[in-house]
Amino acid sequence: MDTRYEWYEQRPLGGGVVRISEPRVRALLSANLWWLRGTDRDLVVDTGLGVVALRQAVPELFERDPLAVLTHAHLDHVGGAHEFRETAAHTAAAPALAAGVPASLNGPELVALLGIDTAGEAVPDLLLKSLPHPGYDPRTYRVEPVTVTRTLTDGDRIDLGGRTLTVLHLPGHTPGCLALLEERTGTLYSGDIVYDGQLIDDLPDSDRAAYRRTMQLLADLDVTTVHPGHGPSFDRARLRELAAAYLRLSDC
Ligand SMILES: [Zn+2]
């Protein structure tokens, strides 16, 4: 069966926000994309794994020439970035994106490429639950290098018309991690900085001291909803719990 055209799942959340996910990708790499509609322009937070072309599977996403904002330089967030005319990322993430990020759909190979410590836990050989079409060869998977057309730093603002997002530079998971905050609605798009699950702070370029400062900032942030890079959205109370749990566990 050719599942290319149902590879991505779209869920409109109201208020001009659509969550796009990749349910056929295994948990480690199954990330969220967030499609935000402004009156002048659209923006897409992260671009998925890039196994299936977004232009082919979700052509309506490109109707208004959206700006793709990449929360950080990991394959499951930037695989589709080369499909966009304009891409933005933090200055600290741009060199890795231009070089082409390490990428594989083979679990053990990816873990070795990224320097992930699995603590003896088995990683599946294929990081997809099913192939997009029978002829798909996962060994051909690559992430195209991304030319960042707009570099971002902390405090930058992106105006889409009727909708403005503020860039927060929140390093720790990687040096170039950013989140977008829509102050009007109290919505935070957090990438891998915080989600409701096991956070990763032990990659070769992770920085636990920076991650602690990030979590202290998040614990005090005035938000109503967090739309993360993985898994379900959550509220401010849960954000504070997750930040407190990180600060408690990393304080040793
Ligand atoms: Zn990541």
Side-chain angles (χ1 to χ4, degrees):
M1 190 177 68
D2 192 333
T3 55
R4 261 174 287 197
Y5 301 99
E6 42 193 62
W7 187 260
Y8 298 96
E9 186 177 284
Q10 289 191 56
R11 189 173 305 165
L13 303 179
V17 178
V18 180
R19 174 187 160 170
I20 302 175
S21 56
E22 295 192 88
R24 294 166 194 278
V25 177
R26 291 201 184 277
L28 179 69
L29 293 180
S30 185
N32 297 321
L33 298 74
W34 301 97
W35 177 12
L36 316 185
R37 317 209 70 176
T39 54
D40 299 335
R41 197 167 187 197
D42 290 3
L43 182 153
V44 182
V45 183
D46 286 339
T47 63
L49 193 55
V51 166
V52 170
L54 284 162
R55 281 189 186 266
Q56 190 178 33
V58 196
E60 62 272 30
L61 183 64
F62 293 88
E63 277 168 12
R64 300 173 74 215
D65 188 25
L67 171 69
V69 177
L70 308 175
T71 58
H72 65 298
H74 279 156
L75 68 162
D76 45 337
H77 301 266
V78 308
H82 66 281
E83 298 188 61
F84 292 80
R85 191 178 62 84
E86 278 193 272
T87 51
H90 191 268
T91 45
L97 290 164
V101 303
S104 172
L105 296 176
N106 177 277
E109 186 176 278
L110 181 66
V111 159
L113 279 173
L114 294 180
I116 294 176
D117 179 4
T118 58
E121 234 175 88
V123 184
D125 276 344
L126 180 60
L127 296 170
L128 306 178
K129 294 176 189 168
S130 62
L131 300 178
H133 58 93
Y136 183 78
D137 181 355
R139 290 170 301 184
T140 63
Y141 171 74
R142 302 277 181 281
V143 169
E144 301 285 329
V146 181
T147 305
V148 173
T149 56
R150 178 172 174 184
T151 53
L152 300 169
T153 54
D154 191 67
D156 283 353
R157 291 166 79 79
I158 303 170
D159 185 356
L160 304 176
R163 162 165 259 149
T164 301
L165 297 138
T166 301
V167 174
L168 304 178
H169 180 215
L170 298 171
H173 175 65
T174 69
C177 275
L178 64 77
L180 294 178
L181 176 64
E182 185 178 45
E183 277 140 346
R184 182 176 62 81
T185 56
T187 307
L188 181 73
Y189 297 88
S190 64
D192 280 5
I193 297 159
V194 63
Y195 48 81
D196 202 340
Q198 182 67 44
L199 300 174
I200 298 174
D201 67 355
D202 58 356
L203 300 170
D205 64 349
S206 296
D207 179 340
R208 285 188 181 149
Y211 217 149
R212 287 180 62 80
R213 289 191 292 276
T214 282
M215 285 301 183
Q216 279 154 357
L217 185 145
L218 288 176
D220 294 332
L221 201 64
D222 186 14
V223 296
T224 53
T225 304
V226 181
H227 290 325
H230 296 274
S233 303
F234 48 90
D235 63 10
R236 185 185 183 185
R238 187 66 186 142
L239 174 62
R240 291 175 70 106
E241 285 172 7
L242 293 168
Y246 183 86
L247 291 167
R248 201 165 51 240
L249 288 172
S250 64
D251 187 21
C252 50

